[in-house]
Each structure stands twice: as structure tokens, then as C-alpha cells.
């Protein structure tokens, strides 16, 4: 997983189930097919999440992802490699990322 870079983090809230409280973290990396989530909250590999974040002025509610890999660092953060599960959401992310890139 990549090293944390505070200048590129995207604030994110997420849920593991509708009946559980919302948790928070930062996306240190984002692509249409995967992402890296950094959070203080411990989650198991294989868990599914619904991510809520903003990118380039567009809101992305309930982006479905699965934890493919989990690691813990010495500062108390958990780093998760996520796989985006929904193809339509991946397409929307692809367009937003392309729009946000400098030309």
C-alpha cells in the first residue's frame, strides 16, 4: 500500500451496515477500480463498506467497496486496500477523476 500523503487525502465517511454508526477516514488513493482508506477504525479483510465522499464538486454517496487487504501502522492507523464493487459507480468515478485532473 502507498505511503500516506496528507496533501492528497479525500475525507470519507463510511458504514459497514445500515444499522451501525457512520465511521470516518481518508482516501489516500482513488481510482475507478480501487482505493486506499486510512482510518483509526479496525475492520476485517473481506468486509464490505458503503463510502460517502466528494470529488471535484460531485458527491459520491454509498460507493460499494470490499476490503481486499488490511495493515496497521505504528501511529495507530489502519490502512485498507479497497476494491470498488459496482461497475456503474466505477464509471462515474472514472469521469470525475478525468474531470479533476489538470489539463
Amino acid at each position: 500500500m502507498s505511503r500516506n500523503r496528507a496533501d492528497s487525502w479525500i475525507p470519507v465517511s463510511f458504514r459497514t451496515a445500515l444499522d451501525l454508526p457512520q465511521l470516518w477516514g481518508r482516501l489516500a488513493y482513488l481510482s475507478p477500480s480501487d482505493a486506499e482508506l486510512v482510518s483509526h477504525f479496525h475492520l476485517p479483510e473481506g468486509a464490505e463498506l458503503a463510502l460517502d465522499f466528494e470529488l471535484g464538486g460531485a458527491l459520491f454517496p454509498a460507493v460499494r467497496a470490499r476490503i481486499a487487504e488490511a495493515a496497521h501502522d505504528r501511529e495507530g492507523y489502519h490502512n485498507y486496500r479497497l476494491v470498488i464493487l459496482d461497475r456503474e459507480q466505477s464509471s462515474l468515478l472514472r469521469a470525475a477523476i478525468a474531470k479533476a485532473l489538470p489539463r
Side-chain angles (χ1 to χ4, degrees):
M1 284 185 259
S2 65
R3 302 283 291 156
N4 299 340
R5 294 185 318 258
D7 62 336
S8 62
W9 287 358
I10 299 169
V12 62
S13 60
F14 58 93
R15 291 184 185 272
T16 57
L18 290 175
D19 59 342
L20 293 177
Q22 200 166 35
L23 306 174
W24 56 269
R26 304 265 184 192
L27 294 177
Y29 170 81
L30 177 64
S31 81
S33 61
D34 61 346
E36 185 175 331
L37 171 66
V38 179
S39 180
H40 275 296
F41 299 100
H42 174 73
L43 303 165
E45 283 188 27
E48 289 192 14
L49 310 175
L51 308 168
D52 298 322
F53 58 93
E54 183 179 334
L55 178 64
L59 296 176
F60 286 88
V63 173
R64 294 181 45 239
R66 178 179 295 120
I67 298 174
E69 183 180 351
H72 181 79
D73 68 22
R74 289 187 274 195
E75 288 82 31
Y77 288 94
H78 298 274
N79 297 276
Y80 302 103
R81 187 175 61 82
L82 307 177
V83 176
I84 307 299
L85 299 174
D86 186 283
R87 288 184 181 180
E88 185 175 327
Q89 290 175 323
S90 289
S91 294
L92 294 172
L93 280 171
R94 183 179 328 315
I97 291 168
K99 185 177 177 183
L101 291 174
R103 295 179 188 239

